[in-house]
Amino acid sequence: MAITGDSHSQFHVLAVDDSMIDRKLIERLLKTSSYQVTAVDSGSKALKFLGLHEEDDQSNPDTVPSVSPNDHREVEVNLIITDYCMPGMTGYDLLKKVKESSSLRDIPVVIMSSENVPSRITRCLEEGAEEFFLKPVRLADLNRLKPHMMKTKIKNEKQEDQEKLEKSEIQSEQQQQPPPQPQPQPQPQPSPLLQQPNNNKRKAMEEGLSPDRTRPRYNGITTMV
């Protein structure tokens, strides 16, 4: 795997080709067009670079690949250009896996082939390929790449702006809401056991002040003066 080109290039292209000669050619053409280039020799290495992995259960052909949260691309990929005929994973297989990924499906994919087979071209375009180039790829062909990358870049920027706007509106609504009022704390009630002595004392005082208790009783005894 090699990363070439000016680090300040606006767009980054992932080139995939098992032929070293063709890979070096497309790499040089892309560099001439001022693109940053990452070149790999197989579809599986391309998936690894993209952070794309498949489930361990390969017996299910309908398994949809997903992006591992532990894999992070060092640079953003703005376009993938891949050879069609490669051992193991073909360019068409790579195209399908990228388009099946919710995180990568917006990346434009261009297919290259040395064979002009109309059914193959149609199948790739129907699967989501932006272009189908016949080898040898020429510099004039690469001039058709930039509009696809610009379209995706503008779409991503609009999506980011929309997300920022929604986040800003949510924060504004939160700031406008009055702060929650503190709830009054319930006053502690005295325990009945603590009230009992006071009640007894009050009752004793009331009985001591009763007229019947203060008035002497003689029960019929005559007092001599």
Side-chain angles (χ1 to χ4, degrees):
M1 182 185 301
I3 299 178
T4 61
D6 187 357
S7 60
H8 299 287
S9 297
Q10 186 178 9
F11 295 111
H12 175 224
V13 179
L14 175 61
V16 190
D17 201 317
D18 64 307
S19 169
M20 180 178 293
I21 295 177
D22 290 343
R23 188 169 65 252
K24 291 296 183 182
L25 173 62
I26 190 67
E27 185 178 345
R28 187 184 49 163
L29 291 175
L30 289 168
K31 183 178 178 181
T32 301
S33 300
S34 299
Y35 294 122
Q36 184 179 357
V37 187
T38 298
V40 296
D41 59 6
S42 68
S44 59
K45 290 183 179 180
L47 292 181
K48 184 178 180 181
F49 181 81
L50 292 168
L52 200 64
H53 68 87
E54 296 177 86
E55 300 295 337
D56 294 334
D57 185 9
Q58 302 294 335
S59 60
N60 184 3
D62 297 328
T63 298
V64 177
S66 59
V67 175
S68 170
N70 296 324
D71 294 333
H72 301 282
R73 283 171 284 158
E74 296 180 357
V75 286
E76 180 183 5
V77 175
N78 302 109
L79 183 137
I80 301 169
I81 184 166
T82 177
D83 184 29
Y84 183 91
C85 293
M86 294 185 294
M89 182 182 299
T90 66
Y92 177 75
D93 296 333
L94 176 60
L95 168 66
K96 287 185 62 177
K97 292 184 182 300
V98 170
K99 295 305 177 182
E100 287 171 353
S101 169
S102 59
S103 302
L104 303 175
R105 63 178 54 163
D106 291 334
I107 299 178
V109 180
V110 174
I111 306 294
M112 307 176 291
S113 178
S114 57
E115 300 177 358
N116 188 359
V117 182
S119 59
R120 179 182 297 175
I121 297 173
T122 300
R123 184 170 65 159
C124 290
L125 294 177
E126 289 178 349
E127 191 62 38
E130 303 292 341
E131 300 278 357
F132 195 104
F133 292 159
L134 291 177
K135 291 182 177 182
V137 178
R138 299 168 298 174
L139 192 60
D141 294 327
L142 299 186
N143 293 333
R144 293 152 57 184
L145 300 180
K146 189 171 183 179
H148 300 302
M149 289 184 279
M150 285 297 301
K151 180 175 64 176
T152 303
K153 184 178 180 65
I154 293 174
K155 180 180 178 181
N156 292 339
E157 288 178 349
K158 287 183 177 180
Q159 184 176 354
E160 291 177 358
D161 291 341
Q162 181 65 25
E163 291 176 354
K164 290 180 180 178
L165 179 61
E166 293 176 354
K167 185 177 180 180
S168 176
E169 291 177 350
I170 293 175
Q171 291 178 346
S172 178
E173 292 177 357
Q174 292 176 346
Q175 292 176 355
Q176 292 176 359
Q177 292 178 355
Q181 296 296 329
Q183 297 294 330
Q185 297 294 330
Q187 296 296 328
Q189 298 295 331
S191 173
L193 297 177
L194 297 177
Q195 291 181 346
Q196 187 66 28
N198 294 332
N199 292 337
N200 294 339
K201 184 176 181 181
R202 187 181 300 112
K203 184 177 180 181
M205 293 176 63
E206 291 175 351
E207 291 177 351
L209 296 176
S210 174
D212 296 336
R213 298 294 294 270
T214 58
R215 191 176 297 167
R217 295 180 182 179
Y218 300 98
N219 296 328
I221 301 174
T222 302
T223 304
M224 299 299 290
V225 177

